[in-house]
Amino acid sequence: MKQKFEQLLKKRDEAKLGGGADKIKAQHEKNKLTARERIELLVDEWSFQEIDMFVTHRSTDFGLEKQKYAGDGVVTGFAKISGKQVAIFSQDFTVFGGSLSEAHAEKICKIMDMALKLGIPIIGLNDSGGARIQEGVVSLGGYAEIFLRNTLASGVVPQISAVLGPCAGGAVYSPAITDFVFMVKNTSHMFVTGPNVVKTVTHEEVSFEDLGGAETHATKSGVAHFVYDTEVEVLENIRKLVGFIPQNWKDLPIEKEFDFTKDLLEPKLDEIIPDNPNKPYDMKMIIDLLLDDGEFLEVHSNYAQNIIVGFGRVAGVSVGVVANQPEVLAGVLDINASVKGARFIRFCDAFNIPLLVLEDVPGFLPGTEQEWNGIIRQGSKLLFAFCEATVPKVTVITRKAYGGAYDVMNSKHVRGDFNYAWPSAEIAVMGPKGAVEIIFKKEIASANDLEKKLNEKLAEYVEKFTNPYIAAERGYIDEVIIPSESRMKIIQAFQLLKTKVDTNPKKKHCNIPL
Ligand code: HXC
């Protein structure tokens, strides 16, 4: 019997070596960790339960029957992250470049199916040369099986992808369907076609990094939600993210213990809004003061920076923050900001994470570039996402809330539960100058002193409209509050909203303007 045990242990040791010591060395030389090293860093110690360690491919073409590696290029199983159970696959580049065979795909599908039954998040660590070329269409079928499961799991359990090496061709669509994509600078690459194909087809010369590196996807395309310098940081931050999100769509929001005897006033909030309404300020200062311990995990931090989204806690309750950023493009809503915000809101709503909205928005960005690229269609995504969300929704208007953007940014009319405004709030159809030039056009044009008349009318408009009180008189604003009271108010609101139940009409699914 002992011999049989030893045989098993030997087989395990061999499997753990993946493609062998040389390939592991090559992986390390590329500044990359192995599939198993990554899992070890990601999960709680001793928690990893591996399955399918001895699975091999069944291919016999191109001499493949002589090259078999236990595990077939992917390590799969279940583990805990800070005590929370997750399903994991980690592609092993040391075996056929992590390429996806039929057996490799089956292993991934197996843990995905199990994760759905268990109601636990799925984490994929991608590092692969794509479809296993020698297996042809069978490999393509394997990808499609994964895409289908990614789609069916969407909104049921959170799905997190890290791209830690190549991810090319149709293979990019699995991470793309998932909720969050992490990348590492210089080693991760995602593209539908690589630089050589690009050169042939469009005659553009572009490097791997410029075409599909982490920086590109974090700033230009928005494909990557989180980008870090090292794999270790990626894995640490996946742990952090898991700490903010529930296990599945039926789970309640994550809640940590909180000491309610603490003083909840934040006097520093009174100092932030400049006297000049056209002067920018950093909304992140406000976020920092409103959240517990200033802890904020920003999503898409380098993309469409005119809107800020991310996770934090309010009196221990995990919340999603959506905030305009007056420091970038005056916080205006454009195409990218709308899509970024909408995707984040829909994630939060799908997984019962309450929304905290901080508003200082002059409106939607004008211009042909925006109109021709569909700001109407794209902006409506943000509106749709806020309208459809049934989670607790709290808004604080810090300064501007103009035009359609007022409606969109979780106004009372689209089911905001508690809508607060600071005394500095300006809630109106448009800013003073634009408004006065339209409604007093004739009066100003016929005046002897045009400038005097304009200033007179501006003063009249500012006096009448650029404040929160007209909205408060209507009940569109529940309360006008001193900034330093804001943390206390939002804590009270989210505590009260814990038992909120709201629903949407029954349907097959909505038809969000894609
Ligand atoms: C089989 C592959 C492979 C693949 C790499 N390998 N990709 N084997 N199928 N797709 C093998 C290599 O033969 C090599 O084996 C080992 O993995 C390491 O690869 P290298 O090329 O030496 O590594 P590197 O220089 O780091 O380059 C990595 C790479 C390159 C950029 C990923 O290998 C590459 O371009 N591969 C092909 C990528 C591709 O075109 N895939 C198909 C995309 S289409 P040995 O034995 O020599 O070590 C696709 C469709 C998806 O995936 C369908 C979804 C709809």
Side-chain angles (χ1 to χ4, degrees):
M1 188 56 78
K2 193 165 173 254
Q3 206 184 354
K4 287 193 174 174
F5 292 169
E6 276 166 3
Q7 184 196 22
L8 171 61
L9 294 176
K10 189 163 165 273
K11 272 168 117 29
R12 278 189 188 164
D13 285 343
E14 277 168 15
K16 283 181 185 165
L17 270 181
D22 288 349
K23 293 268 159 72
I24 292 175
K25 189 164 166 264
Q27 178 85 344
H28 287 157
E29 278 167 2
K30 285 183 202 158
N31 243 336
K32 288 162 68 182
L33 297 168
T34 65
R36 285 172 193 282
E37 286 166 344
R38 287 167 178 160
I39 291 176
E40 212 172 297
L41 283 169
L42 177 64
V43 307
D44 298 348
E45 211 174 355
W46 306 116
S47 72
F48 185 51
Q49 294 168 253
E50 184 170 350
I51 60 165
D52 287 343
M53 190 186 231
F54 299 136
V55 165
T56 55
H57 70 74
R58 300 181 279 273
S59 182
T60 51
D61 289 322
F62 303 104
L64 231 55
E65 69 281 4
K66 295 191 207 94
Q67 290 183 66
K68 291 212 174 190
Y69 299 90
D72 202 32
V74 64
V75 182
T76 56
F78 306 91
K80 285 184 177 172
I81 291 184
S82 305
K84 289 165 71 181
Q85 205 79 63
V86 295
I88 297 180
F89 72 84
S90 178
Q91 291 181 311
D92 182 355
F93 192 83
T94 68
V95 175
F96 301 115
S99 58
L100 187 126
S101 67
E102 182 186 27
H104 180 131
E106 283 168 355
K107 283 182 68 173
I108 293 176
C109 290
K110 192 168 172 182
I111 60 132
M112 292 180 85
D113 290 342
M114 193 69 172
L116 269 189
K117 285 186 209 161
L118 299 172
I120 60 174
I122 300 166
I123 301 176
L125 308 181
N126 298 266
D127 186 2
S128 165
R132 176 103 31 106
I133 295 165
Q134 299 92 326
E135 292 205 9
V137 68
V138 174
S139 161
L140 300 184
Y143 267 119
E145 296 278 349
I146 296 171
F147 301 155
L148 174 69
R149 282 164 178 79
N150 284 136
T151 306
L152 298 181
S154 180
V156 182
V157 294
Q159 298 181 82
I160 300 169
S161 302
V163 175
L164 303 170
C167 183
V172 295
Y173 289 113
S174 171
I177 297 172
T178 64
D179 299 302
F180 297 104
V181 176
F182 286 72
M183 290 181 81
V184 194
K185 287 184 192 158
N186 302 316
T187 46
S188 310
H189 296 115
M190 291 179 83
F191 32 70
V192 172
T193 50
N196 293 339
V197 179
V198 169
K199 193 174 172 197
T200 313
V201 178
T202 69
H203 309 295
E204 290 168 289
E205 297 242 13
V206 62
S207 67
F208 273 78
E209 201 56 26
D210 282 348
L211 182 65
E215 205 73 69
T216 294
H217 285 309
T219 56
K220 291 195 170 101
S221 71
V223 167
H225 300 82
F226 298 95
V227 162
Y228 298 97
D229 289 329
T230 65
E231 288 189 21
V232 175
E233 286 170 275
V234 164
L235 299 167
E236 272 169 14
N237 281 285
I238 294 178
R239 284 182 67 88
K240 239 190 222 173
L241 175 61
V242 170
F244 281 110
I245 60 180
Q247 293 291 84
N248 57 61
W249 74 285
K250 287 185 181 161
D251 229 1
L252 292 173
I254 302 286
E255 195 171 341
K256 283 192 165 182
E257 276 190 17
F258 184 75
D259 175 10
F260 282 93
T261 62
K262 279 196 264 185
D263 182 2
L264 298 175
L265 291 178
E266 280 294 346
K268 284 188 195 150
L269 286 167
D270 292 338
E271 312 293 325
I272 293 176
I273 304 295
D275 289 333
N276 177 352
N278 296 321
K279 215 173 151 197
Y281 61 92
D282 185 2
M283 185 63 94
K284 285 190 190 160
M285 292 195 297
I286 297 178
I287 295 174
D288 188 55
L289 292 165
L290 289 179
L291 297 179
D292 296 357
D293 308 315
E295 202 192 332
F296 182 52
L297 181 64
E298 190 174 354
V299 179
H300 264 147
S301 64
N302 294 318
Y303 181 74
Q305 292 174 317
N306 37 334
I307 201 164
I308 304 166
V309 299
F311 298 103
R313 291 190 180 83
V314 174
V317 181
S318 196
V319 298
V321 178
V322 181
N324 308 116
Q325 171 57 294
E327 213 167 54
V328 179
L329 293 171
V332 75
L333 289 173
D334 60 2
I335 290 172
N336 291 349
S338 301
V339 176
K340 168 178 164 179
R343 177 97 178 129
F344 180 75
I345 292 160
R346 297 196 94 219
F347 174 83
C348 291
D349 189 49
F351 293 105
N352 307 317
I353 300 171
L355 289 166
L356 171 61
V357 180
L358 305 174
E359 179 170 358
D360 185 348
V361 59
F364 281 93
L365 184 63
T368 51
E369 200 256 346
Q370 289 289 306
E371 294 290 352
W372 294 346
N373 285 301
I375 183 68
I376 297 174
R377 201 163 40 83
Q378 315 282 12
S380 68
K381 290 176 183 164
L382 184 62
L383 172 60
F384 196 107
F386 270 127
C387 286
E388 124 187 282
T390 54
V391 286
K393 300 193 286 189
V394 175
T395 303
V396 181
I397 301 177
T398 59
R399 195 168 59 179
K400 294 174 184 158
Y402 281 123
Y406 155 77
D407 281 342
V408 169
M409 290 297 292
N410 197 38
S411 62
K412 200 78 194 161
H413 323 279
V414 301
R415 295 193 285 183
D417 294 301
F418 283 94
N419 292 61
Y420 300 108
W422 288 1
S424 46
E426 305 169 16
I427 307 173
V429 172
M430 59 170 75
K433 193 152 184 295
V436 164
E437 281 170 358
I438 294 170
I439 56 178
F440 300 115
K441 191 175 166 184
K442 285 187 192 137
E443 210 176 319
I444 293 169
S446 59
N448 290 334
D449 186 340
L450 296 187
E451 200 165 324
K452 189 168 164 238
K453 193 60 159 183
L454 178 71
N455 287 336
E456 226 175 82
K457 291 295 170 194
L458 272 176
E460 197 183 319
Y461 185 89
V462 167
E463 167 68 21
K464 196 164 171 52
F465 283 128
T466 58
N467 63 62
Y469 298 106
I470 301 171
E473 281 166 22
R474 294 259 170 187
Y476 299 166
I477 292 297
D478 295 294
E479 210 181 338
V480 182
I481 58 175
I482 304 286
S484 51
E485 299 168 339
S486 305
R487 180 162 154 77
M488 180 181 73
K489 293 288 178 187
I490 63 171
I491 287 177
Q492 288 171 339
F494 283 122
Q495 290 297 312
L496 184 62
L497 289 166
K498 275 186 190 177
T499 51
K500 176 186 173 184
V501 179
D502 199 356
T503 52
N504 293 329
K506 266 197 173 311
K507 61 189 97 173
K508 186 172 177 195
H509 61 69
C510 68
N511 187 16
I512 186 164
L514 292 173

